[in-house]
Amino acid sequence: MTDLSDLPPLWSARRAPVLRPALPLLAALALWLYAVRHTDVSRLDDYGLVTALHPSFWAGLAVLTAGFWFTVRDRRRPGGWPAAYVLGLLVMERATQAVLYPTPLYAWAWKHDGVIDHLLTAGGLQTADRIGDMAVYDQWPGFFAAQAALVRLLGVDSAAMYMAWWPLASSLLLLFPLLLIYRTFTEDRRLIWTGVWLFFVANWVGQDYFSPQSVAFALHLGVLAVVLRRYGRSGTGGGSGRRGQAVWTVVLTVLVMAMVISHQLTPAMLVVSLLALVLLRRHRDWVPVATTVVIFLAWCATAALPFLSAAMPDMIRAVGDIGGNVERGYGATPTGAGALATSWAARLLSGSVLLLAAAGVWRQPVLRYRAMPLLVITAAPLPMLVASSYGSEMIFRVLMFMLPGVAFFAAAALLPKVRTLAAAEAAAETGARRKTEPPARRGGGGARLRTGFGIRVWGPLLVLLAGTAAFVPSYSGKDRINYFPPQEVALVGQLFDEAPEGSLVVAANRNYPRAYASYGSIDHYWFLEDDRSHVDEIVRDPAGTLATDMAGVDRPSRAYFLFTQGQLANSEMNGQLTGAQLNSVLESVAASPRFRLVAENSAGAVYELRQPEEAEGTEGTGPVEETGSVEETEAVEETEGEGGGER
């Protein structure tokens, strides 16, 4: 018989402390899974996803945050556990929408999908005289060309098949360069991972969606990581050092080229940061900044010249217009309790992190000297607020580019004394002397440590809990605007699939899916972007004014009026027209004999302007012809739900 007493136990007491951090992480993910299975997003209110989420989501977020904090501050825990918690945070933050919503979010993401489709259909770049202001995308085609290649490689119909998961993917792209930058200045695991946590919690701006900015920002951080951590360090070692520096120059050049051909703003932000490092003597080599400037200017003077030539007068006039970054007014004012709550949550979150960063710089004097290059990079984007308003978005972009450094110094405010790499080397030299100090010199502080334990542990935890919770309304509070149900996707898709080339589509605003489908052959007019006086005319006489605006489209082209719930949500929450006003516009068009209904479902309706000869004899009657029935539209919806729009 076998003596089982000699076999090792299945569970060892030594293993329990090592695996203990797994319990909060697994519990949080279990609560998240339960939440997404019991959350209904079919009827979103003005608070977006915040009020729709099942309460177990908030419980899971609290458990995850608490587990992270107690794990990261414990030096005995293996280094992989904080990384596991950050990955869990990214899943709960960035994957929740992809799981809950059956179609991708954001009208701008759908716009970029249209650009990729146009690139695949046209087979190459086109000039501005053919596609108007959309030529800007053909003049910075890096992201779109790469996505077109990926669509072909995967064999899918369009980028809409995977772009719902892009926020998670683009956030993962940021993780590695962010770690490299932080590890350049410290090996303190608590500071590194708390900084990473705060970065993702405070990054509510939303530029992680399917866009060139999401990739360009990752490339921006990659260049900074190369410059701060590697570039120039191997340049003092003779021939091998010069070869190493040449390798890093090639890496930097590739990253900069990929960025320059993909986005307009990010290379300018990079130039500002690198110039600040050199001019303030926090980096001695001019090669990185010179390389970036040369590549940037070369692209602007060649491929991007048509767009820049047309836009330069407006860009020059915008210099110094700081007020443009905080502009409020028609179409730019959060309206309603939900929109205001979301706006204030985002402001308070950003303001709190900025104040924490200032406190970290003040509390940790060593960082003011040893991490000065990161402090310089953090402040470098601020002058861009004066250079341009960037369509009233510059303040958000500046915040995003400052965030890597802001999160690092904010994390320092939540921790006791931190140690940089340089400080660690200095401490090693005095380590032997400290060991020989009499016990009386090293003791005596135990009571004070016990007294301050609660403040040092529970205080920062409460800050992390509040910031992590505030991310949700800041990031997802406007999902009533950003989410388009399958019915809306199907309705708009039917319109653009059936509209003849040269047709005109009129809508209240751009906030609907596939708004730029076939933009090379279909014209658009968004009447809420017109002068307010003309908008008032439309409100007074909707059908008559719109019919006049839409006239002049000759056969076989047609003029269509498109009304969707996404337009209604955007108009209401951004202070354009009220729901009652927009509904009155729809009712006027529906009752007018000059329009006929061609498609309709629960998400909206499409009306076609009759030609003058068609309108004769229809005075006093309602719509007499419907080319796209409700049943046909629902069939399109079912097909869409099974394939391209499914997340």
Side-chain angles (χ1 to χ4, degrees):
M1 296 181 62
T2 303
D3 185 3
L4 299 180
S5 62
D6 293 335
L7 295 177
L10 294 177
W11 180 260
S12 172
R14 293 182 178 180
R15 297 179 185 176
V18 176
L19 298 178
R20 192 173 297 159
L23 298 179
L25 178 60
L26 294 176
L29 293 177
L31 288 168
W32 174 75
L33 286 172
Y34 183 85
V36 296
R37 288 178 60 89
H38 293 82
T39 295
D40 181 15
V41 295
S42 60
R43 294 185 180 274
L44 296 175
D45 60 19
D46 285 356
Y47 293 89
L49 194 58
V50 179
T51 52
L53 283 168
H54 191 274
S56 59
F57 176 88
W58 301 100
L61 204 60
V63 170
L64 184 77
T65 306
F68 166 79
W69 177 243
F70 286 108
T71 299
V72 78
R73 64 181 300 274
D74 191 345
R75 299 179 184 273
R76 296 171 300 175
R77 302 299 181 197
W81 284 116
Y85 273 93
V86 168
L87 293 177
L89 175 70
L90 291 180
V91 168
M92 294 187 70
E93 280 188 347
R94 263 73 182 187
T96 299
Q97 293 168 316
V99 174
L100 288 177
Y101 297 125
T103 56
L105 294 176
Y106 304 113
W108 290 102
W110 286 96
K111 177 180 182 178
H112 297 152
D113 178 50
V115 175
I116 295 166
D117 182 68
H118 175 74
L119 188 60
L120 288 169
T121 303
L125 307 181
Q126 298 191 28
T127 57
D129 59 343
R130 294 193 61 185
I131 54 177
D133 59 359
M134 291 295 289
V136 64
Y137 294 102
D138 279 340
Q139 291 169 28
W140 277 273
F143 173 81
F144 303 107
Q147 295 299 325
L150 183 59
V151 167
R152 289 277 176 84
L153 180 65
L154 296 176
V156 296
D157 294 334
S158 70
M161 297 288 291
Y162 58 82
M163 69 185 186
W165 293 92
W166 196 259
L168 177 61
S170 63
S171 297
L172 292 173
L173 284 177
L174 299 177
L175 184 57
F176 181 64
L178 195 64
L179 288 173
L180 288 181
I181 291 173
Y182 289 173
R183 287 182 61 84
T184 302
F185 303 104
T186 182
E187 287 185 346
D188 191 327
R189 188 185 66 182
R190 302 168 305 164
L191 179 56
I192 292 172
W193 286 107
T194 305
V196 170
W197 185 279
L198 285 175
F199 172 83
F200 286 117
V201 163
N203 190 19
W204 60 267
V205 174
Q207 293 303 311
D208 55 359
Y209 75 104
F210 187 71
S211 65
Q213 176 72 92
S214 63
V215 176
F217 187 48
L219 295 170
H220 170 84
L221 291 184
V223 171
L224 292 180
V226 169
V227 171
L228 293 174
R229 188 169 180 84
R230 287 296 181 188
Y231 194 89
R233 291 192 175 191
S234 58
T236 58
S240 61
R242 285 189 292 272
R243 285 193 297 271
Q245 185 160 328
V247 170
W248 289 116
T249 301
V250 172
V251 172
L252 183 145
T253 301
V254 171
L255 294 176
V256 170
M257 288 184 64
M259 182 197 315
V260 165
I261 66 175
S262 298
H263 199 244
Q264 307 95 332
L265 178 64
T266 306
M269 289 288 193
L270 180 61
V271 169
V272 170
S273 297
L274 295 179
L275 270 177
L277 284 174
V278 172
L279 295 178
L280 295 178
R281 299 185 178 182
R282 297 301 166 180
H283 194 272
R284 298 181 179 181
D285 205 317
W286 280 85
V287 172
V289 65
T291 301
T292 304
V293 169
V294 168
I295 297 175
F296 185 35
L297 292 180
W299 186 262
C300 291
T302 54
L305 186 59
F307 171 80
L308 292 176
S309 299
M312 190 60 67
D314 291 335
M315 295 170 65
I316 294 174
R317 282 193 296 268
V319 174
D321 182 19
I322 301 178
N325 290 292
V326 291
E327 181 182 5
R328 286 289 182 266
Y330 172 66
T333 303
T335 304
L340 288 171
T342 296
S343 178
W344 276 107
R347 294 178 187 179
L348 290 174
L349 177 57
S350 296
S352 299
V353 175
L354 288 170
L355 289 175
L356 276 177
V361 174
W362 177 76
R363 275 194 75 236
Q364 308 283 359
V366 66
L367 295 180
R368 293 200 294 267
Y369 304 101
R370 303 301 185 183
M372 180 57 74
L374 185 56
L375 191 59
V376 169
I377 290 173
T378 303
L382 286 172
M384 297 297 288
L385 290 172
V386 181
S388 172
S389 66
Y390 202 66
S392 300
E393 288 190 4
M394 183 61 78
I395 188 171
F396 303 113
R397 305 303 175 94
V398 167
L399 175 64
M400 183 179 69
F401 282 93
M402 292 177 63
L403 195 54
V406 167
F408 180 84
F409 293 108
L414 300 179
L415 298 169
K417 184 178 181 181
V418 298
R419 181 168 292 177
T420 64
L421 289 176
E425 295 172 359
E429 298 176 359
T430 60
R433 187 183 63 206
R434 291 185 176 182
K435 291 180 180 179
T436 60
E437 288 180 354
R441 293 180 61 186
R442 292 185 285 115
R448 291 193 301 272
L449 290 174
R450 286 190 296 270
T451 302
F453 176 81
I455 297 176
R456 294 198 311 271
V457 175
W458 297 105
L461 175 58
L462 291 176
V463 172
L464 285 179
L465 285 170
T468 306
F471 170 85
V472 180
S474 303
Y475 187 78
S476 306
K478 292 187 176 181
D479 279 8
R480 183 188 166 215
I481 295 176
N482 298 323
Y483 167 56
F484 310 111
Q487 295 89 342
E488 189 166 350
V489 175
L491 180 71
V492 179
Q494 179 180 350
L495 167 61
F496 285 108
D497 288 343
E498 298 178 0
E501 184 174 349
S503 295
L504 171 67
V505 174
V506 175
N509 52 50
R510 306 167 187 249
N511 196 59
Y512 51 93
R514 301 190 65 184
Y516 292 84
S518 305
Y519 68 84
S521 58
I522 304 294
D523 292 327
H524 298 79
Y525 168 52
W526 300 284
F527 62 82
L528 288 184
E529 296 182 6
D530 215 335
D531 294 335
R532 184 56 195 259
S533 59
H534 188 67
V535 174
D536 291 337
E537 291 180 18
I538 294 176
V539 172
R540 286 193 297 268
D541 180 17
T545 307
L546 287 173
T548 302
D549 293 340
M550 298 166 65
V553 178
D554 299 325
R555 285 189 176 277
S557 303
R558 309 294 290 176
Y560 300 93
F561 174 73
L562 171 67
F563 180 88
T564 64
Q565 292 301 310
Q567 299 172 49
L568 179 67
N570 187 75
S571 178
E572 285 186 321
M573 295 183 68
N574 284 322
Q576 293 177 322
L577 295 182
T578 65
Q581 288 174 316
L582 273 184
N583 282 321
S584 69
V585 172
L586 177 64
E587 291 169 1
S588 175
V589 170
S592 172
R594 304 180 69 176
F595 292 88
R596 64 180 173 189
L597 180 69
V598 296
E600 183 180 35
N601 62 23
S602 60
V606 179
Y607 289 85
E608 179 186 326
L609 178 69
R610 297 177 184 273
Q611 295 289 343
E613 63 274 13
E614 295 176 326
E616 294 178 359
T618 62
E619 199 69 34
T621 64
V624 297
E625 182 177 349
E626 183 174 320
T627 60
S629 66
V630 176
E631 290 77 16
E632 291 170 342
T633 303
E634 290 175 348
V636 174
E637 293 167 15
E638 294 174 359
T639 305
E640 189 79 18
E642 296 171 358
E646 195 70 28
R647 278 189 164 194

